[in-house]
Amino acid sequence: IEQIARNVAEYSGFSQGMCYSFESPKVFDKLLLPSDCPKRKAIQIQNPLGEDFSIMRTVSVNGMLTSLATNYNRRNKNVGLYELGNVYLPKELPLKELPDERMLFTLGMYGKGDFYTMKGVIEEFFEKLGMRKKPAYEPSTLRPYLHPGRQAIVTYEGKEIAFLGEVHPVVAESYGIGERAYLAVVDIPIVLEYANFDYK
């Protein structure tokens, strides 16, 4: 499934990026997450390299936005990046058992392309996984780092499998991305339940 994700992303013009699993707690403010957001409950590292690497990430979008910003600052036009990486979601804090390590397929882009380009890429991915039914898109305002009128939850057989949308202008500005940027995140463990490679 990871190989299919890579093939679809690269065929669609995206390049692979690698992001750190360690992040700074300041990321949550940068992404406009409310103070009571469960994603703020992150695992603290006992002997971090510094504050910038002091927690295990609970969202994958900060690394992607940082990478897009680096490319934008180097005046690279029409950038598309993807990452296959884990987030670490603790069941409770302080830790009594290992966290839920979830593999996420994260896509980010700016320049040529828009919301519908991103939608096409993830639909291609689902199709290659043998998910024959059509995914449904529900307008959403759940994620404050995405534009409130330009984001959607992707559901398949009534279960949320992904989300996508345009980056909120305030967030894009705080990262230093001077044009419209788009994100999509697919939850691989949920998609696994529906993947089917039995061709007849």
Side-chain angles (χ1 to χ4, degrees):
I1 285 178
E2 286 177 37
Q3 192 54 57
I4 289 171
R6 285 191 190 95
N7 291 348
V8 167
E10 286 168 14
Y11 184 78
S12 306
F14 289 74
S15 302
Q16 186 167 16
M18 306 293 261
C19 301
Y20 292 116
S21 294
F22 304 151
E23 285 188 334
S24 163
K26 293 177 183 156
V27 162
F28 303 128
D29 292 334
K30 221 170 166 185
L31 294 173
L32 310 179
L33 294 179
S35 55
D36 59 349
C37 178
K39 296 284 189 214
R40 282 181 178 265
K41 293 191 172 78
I43 300 162
Q44 301 278 339
I45 294 164
Q46 281 181 340
N47 53 349
L49 297 167
E51 198 204 3
D52 285 352
F53 303 100
S54 62
I55 59 168
M56 301 295 286
R57 68 177 181 172
T58 56
V59 287
S60 63
V61 295
N62 170 63
M64 179 56 70
L65 288 169
T66 306
S67 300
L68 289 176
T70 304
N71 277 278
Y72 183 80
N73 292 330
R74 291 185 182 157
R75 296 192 168 83
N76 290 331
K77 293 182 172 64
N78 305 326
V79 171
L81 298 171
Y82 76 93
E83 185 207 10
L84 285 157
N86 288 350
V87 291
Y88 304 85
L89 307 172
K91 295 177 181 78
E92 58 180 328
L93 289 172
L95 282 180
K96 293 195 173 64
E97 56 183 314
L98 290 172
D100 179 14
E101 291 188 34
R102 297 189 79 77
M103 166 76 68
L104 299 182
F105 177 33
T106 309
L107 296 144
M109 65 186 280
Y110 68 78
K112 208 167 80 182
D114 58 13
F115 182 92
Y116 295 100
T117 312
M118 202 62 106
K119 181 170 173 275
V121 177
I122 61 170
E123 282 185 357
E124 175 80 9
F125 174 54
F126 298 147
E127 194 181 313
K128 289 277 187 289
L129 294 183
M131 294 163 70
R132 305 273 181 271
K133 295 178 184 164
K134 207 164 171 52
Y137 296 85
E138 297 168 15
S140 161
T141 54
L142 284 177
R143 292 172 174 86
Y145 46 84
L146 295 178
H147 193 297
R150 296 178 190 151
Q151 59 171 298
I153 290 169
V154 187
T155 59
Y156 190 82
E157 293 186 356
K159 210 167 188 179
E160 185 179 330
I161 56 171
F163 66 85
L164 73 160
E166 182 185 320
V167 178
H168 195 294
V170 172
V171 174
E173 193 179 322
S174 74
Y175 278 90
I177 303 169
E179 56 183 289
R180 286 184 175 182
Y182 300 87
L183 292 171
V185 179
V186 180
D187 194 330
I188 296 292
I190 296 178
V191 168
L192 272 173
E193 297 170 25
Y194 301 107
N196 173 19
F197 300 107
D198 293 343
Y199 290 105
K200 300 212 169 39

